[in-house]
Amino acid sequence: LKKVRIKRISGKDRYDTSINICNEMDLSSVNNAYIVGGYGEVDAMSVAPLAVRQGAPIIVSPKDGLTKDEKYFFESNENIADVKVIGGRVNVDTQVMLDVKNCGYDRDNNTDISVSRVSGNDRQETNAKILELFDKGSEENIIVAKDGMNNKSHLVDSLSAATLGYPLILGTERITMAQVDAIY
């Protein structure tokens, strides 16, 4: 690694680390972002391939509202106009969505930020709804990985696969018809 520049990006917790990573990204041509809850690892893995494709940031937020640094991120990145919260209110409260909306009003150009939630009744249904955001029927490669339900360490396969940008189906010993229908 002698000819490689190595830079450590970290923070005092997962939220701080997340926003520090986002601040390192070139977002000049990106108009969207994703938010997942601090303990919604499976939601992050599910949306990661889409974010990779789009060059969009994934912000890890506390359940009850954005941190001060996350608010500043949305206020200062005026080109981000569309934010999707991934997962249900158990992981990301509606207050997070209100915080994002208010950040648009606090921008210098007072631009509206469209905020919506992508969630289902369980992790497979949420995954299916995320899969619907891909170009249905045109994907040449699809990855199936464990959903981490019984062991969060199984999500490491999803993390590695997500970097390829292919739709990622998260399953257990089976996948659901909603997941299959979302792709085909």
Side-chain angles (χ1 to χ4, degrees), residues 42-43 87 119-129 147 149 174 176 178-179:
V42 71
D43 295 331
S119 68
N121 292 325
D122 58 26
R123 59 185 57 201
Q124 278 76 31
E125 191 175 328
T126 298
N127 178 241
K129 291 183 184 254
D147 71 356
M149 177 65 105
R174 64 180 180 79
T176 66
Q179 289 170 304

Short mmCIF file of all heavy atoms in Angstrom, two decimals, residues 42-43 87 119-129 147 149 174 176 178-179:
data_model
loop_
_atom_site.label_atom_id
_atom_site.label_comp_id
_atom_site.label_asym_id
_atom_site.label_seq_id
_atom_site.Cartn_x
_atom_site.Cartn_y
_atom_site.Cartn_z
N VAL A 42 -29.91 -3.61 8.54
CA VAL A 42 -30.44 -4.32 7.38
C VAL A 42 -31.04 -3.35 6.37
O VAL A 42 -30.93 -3.56 5.16
CB VAL A 42 -31.46 -5.41 7.81
CG1 VAL A 42 -32.75 -4.81 8.31
CG2 VAL A 42 -31.71 -6.40 6.71
N ASP A 43 -31.62 -2.25 6.83
CA ASP A 43 -32.13 -1.23 5.92
C ASP A 43 -30.99 -0.58 5.14
O ASP A 43 -31.09 -0.34 3.94
CB ASP A 43 -32.92 -0.16 6.69
CG ASP A 43 -34.18 -0.72 7.34
OD1 ASP A 43 -34.75 -1.68 6.81
OD2 ASP A 43 -34.57 -0.18 8.39
N GLY A 87 -36.96 2.32 6.17
CA GLY A 87 -37.35 1.61 7.38
C GLY A 87 -38.52 2.30 8.07
O GLY A 87 -38.86 3.45 7.77
N SER A 119 -40.79 1.70 3.47
CA SER A 119 -40.79 0.68 4.52
C SER A 119 -41.88 -0.34 4.26
O SER A 119 -42.79 -0.12 3.47
CB SER A 119 -41.00 1.33 5.89
OG SER A 119 -42.31 1.84 5.99
N GLY A 120 -41.74 -1.45 4.95
CA GLY A 120 -42.73 -2.51 4.87
C GLY A 120 -42.99 -3.06 6.25
O GLY A 120 -42.48 -2.54 7.25
N ASN A 121 -43.76 -4.13 6.31
CA ASN A 121 -44.10 -4.74 7.59
C ASN A 121 -42.95 -5.52 8.22
O ASN A 121 -42.96 -5.79 9.41
CB ASN A 121 -45.31 -5.67 7.43
CG ASN A 121 -46.56 -4.89 7.12
OD1 ASN A 121 -46.74 -3.78 7.60
ND2 ASN A 121 -47.42 -5.47 6.30
N ASP A 122 -41.96 -5.88 7.41
CA ASP A 122 -40.79 -6.60 7.89
C ASP A 122 -39.62 -6.29 6.96
O ASP A 122 -39.77 -5.54 6.00
CB ASP A 122 -41.05 -8.11 8.00
CG ASP A 122 -41.46 -8.75 6.68
OD1 ASP A 122 -41.11 -8.23 5.60
OD2 ASP A 122 -42.14 -9.80 6.72
N ARG A 123 -38.47 -6.86 7.26
CA ARG A 123 -37.27 -6.53 6.47
C ARG A 123 -37.37 -6.98 5.02
O ARG A 123 -36.84 -6.33 4.13
CB ARG A 123 -36.00 -7.04 7.15
CG ARG A 123 -35.96 -8.52 7.38
CD ARG A 123 -34.75 -8.98 8.17
NE ARG A 123 -34.68 -8.31 9.45
CZ ARG A 123 -33.57 -8.18 10.17
NH1 ARG A 123 -32.46 -8.71 9.76
NH2 ARG A 123 -33.59 -7.55 11.31
N GLN A 124 -38.05 -8.11 4.76
CA GLN A 124 -38.19 -8.56 3.38
C GLN A 124 -39.12 -7.64 2.59
O GLN A 124 -38.85 -7.33 1.43
CB GLN A 124 -38.72 -10.01 3.32
CG GLN A 124 -37.65 -11.06 3.51
CD GLN A 124 -37.21 -11.19 4.95
OE1 GLN A 124 -38.00 -10.97 5.86
NE2 GLN A 124 -35.96 -11.54 5.16
N GLU A 125 -40.20 -7.18 3.20
CA GLU A 125 -41.11 -6.28 2.51
C GLU A 125 -40.45 -4.91 2.27
O GLU A 125 -40.62 -4.32 1.20
CB GLU A 125 -42.41 -6.10 3.30
CG GLU A 125 -43.48 -5.40 2.51
CD GLU A 125 -44.81 -5.33 3.25
OE1 GLU A 125 -45.13 -6.24 4.03
OE2 GLU A 125 -45.52 -4.33 3.04
N THR A 126 -39.69 -4.44 3.23
CA THR A 126 -38.93 -3.20 3.02
C THR A 126 -37.93 -3.39 1.90
O THR A 126 -37.79 -2.53 1.02
CB THR A 126 -38.22 -2.76 4.32
OG1 THR A 126 -39.20 -2.50 5.32
CG2 THR A 126 -37.38 -1.51 4.11
N ASN A 127 -37.25 -4.51 1.90
CA ASN A 127 -36.30 -4.82 0.83
C ASN A 127 -37.00 -4.84 -0.53
O ASN A 127 -36.48 -4.29 -1.51
CB ASN A 127 -35.61 -6.16 1.12
CG ASN A 127 -34.64 -6.59 0.05
OD1 ASN A 127 -34.81 -7.63 -0.56
ND2 ASN A 127 -33.60 -5.80 -0.17
N ALA A 128 -38.19 -5.44 -0.60
CA ALA A 128 -38.94 -5.48 -1.86
C ALA A 128 -39.26 -4.06 -2.34
O ALA A 128 -39.15 -3.76 -3.53
CB ALA A 128 -40.21 -6.30 -1.69
N LYS A 129 -39.64 -3.19 -1.42
CA LYS A 129 -39.98 -1.81 -1.81
C LYS A 129 -38.74 -1.06 -2.32
O LYS A 129 -38.83 -0.23 -3.22
CB LYS A 129 -40.64 -1.08 -0.66
CG LYS A 129 -42.03 -1.65 -0.39
CD LYS A 129 -42.74 -0.90 0.70
CE LYS A 129 -44.06 -1.58 0.99
NZ LYS A 129 -45.19 -0.87 0.51
N ASP A 147 -30.24 -12.08 5.33
CA ASP A 147 -30.79 -10.82 5.83
C ASP A 147 -30.34 -10.46 7.24
O ASP A 147 -30.71 -9.42 7.76
CB ASP A 147 -32.30 -10.82 5.76
CG ASP A 147 -32.96 -11.75 6.78
OD1 ASP A 147 -32.24 -12.46 7.51
OD2 ASP A 147 -34.20 -11.74 6.83
N MET A 149 -31.15 -11.74 10.06
CA MET A 149 -32.19 -11.88 11.08
C MET A 149 -31.69 -12.66 12.29
O MET A 149 -31.89 -12.25 13.42
CB MET A 149 -33.42 -12.57 10.49
CG MET A 149 -34.52 -12.80 11.50
SD MET A 149 -35.19 -11.26 12.13
CE MET A 149 -36.72 -11.24 11.26
N ARG A 174 -35.51 -18.54 2.45
CA ARG A 174 -36.34 -18.30 1.27
C ARG A 174 -36.41 -16.79 1.00
O ARG A 174 -36.04 -15.99 1.85
CB ARG A 174 -37.74 -18.86 1.47
CG ARG A 174 -38.49 -18.18 2.60
CD ARG A 174 -39.89 -18.74 2.81
NE ARG A 174 -40.54 -18.04 3.90
CZ ARG A 174 -41.09 -16.84 3.82
NH1 ARG A 174 -41.09 -16.20 2.68
NH2 ARG A 174 -41.66 -16.27 4.87
N THR A 176 -39.26 -13.80 -0.54
CA THR A 176 -40.72 -13.66 -0.64
C THR A 176 -41.13 -13.36 -2.08
O THR A 176 -40.33 -12.91 -2.89
CB THR A 176 -41.22 -12.52 0.26
OG1 THR A 176 -40.70 -11.28 -0.25
CG2 THR A 176 -40.77 -12.72 1.71
N ALA A 178 -43.01 -10.96 -2.90
CA ALA A 178 -42.91 -9.50 -3.07
C ALA A 178 -41.52 -9.13 -3.57
O ALA A 178 -41.38 -8.24 -4.41
CB ALA A 178 -43.22 -8.79 -1.75
N GLN A 179 -40.50 -9.80 -3.06
CA GLN A 179 -39.13 -9.53 -3.52
C GLN A 179 -38.95 -9.96 -4.97
O GLN A 179 -38.36 -9.23 -5.77
CB GLN A 179 -38.13 -10.24 -2.61
CG GLN A 179 -38.04 -9.62 -1.23
CD GLN A 179 -37.24 -10.46 -0.27
OE1 GLN A 179 -37.54 -11.63 -0.06
NE2 GLN A 179 -36.21 -9.87 0.31
#
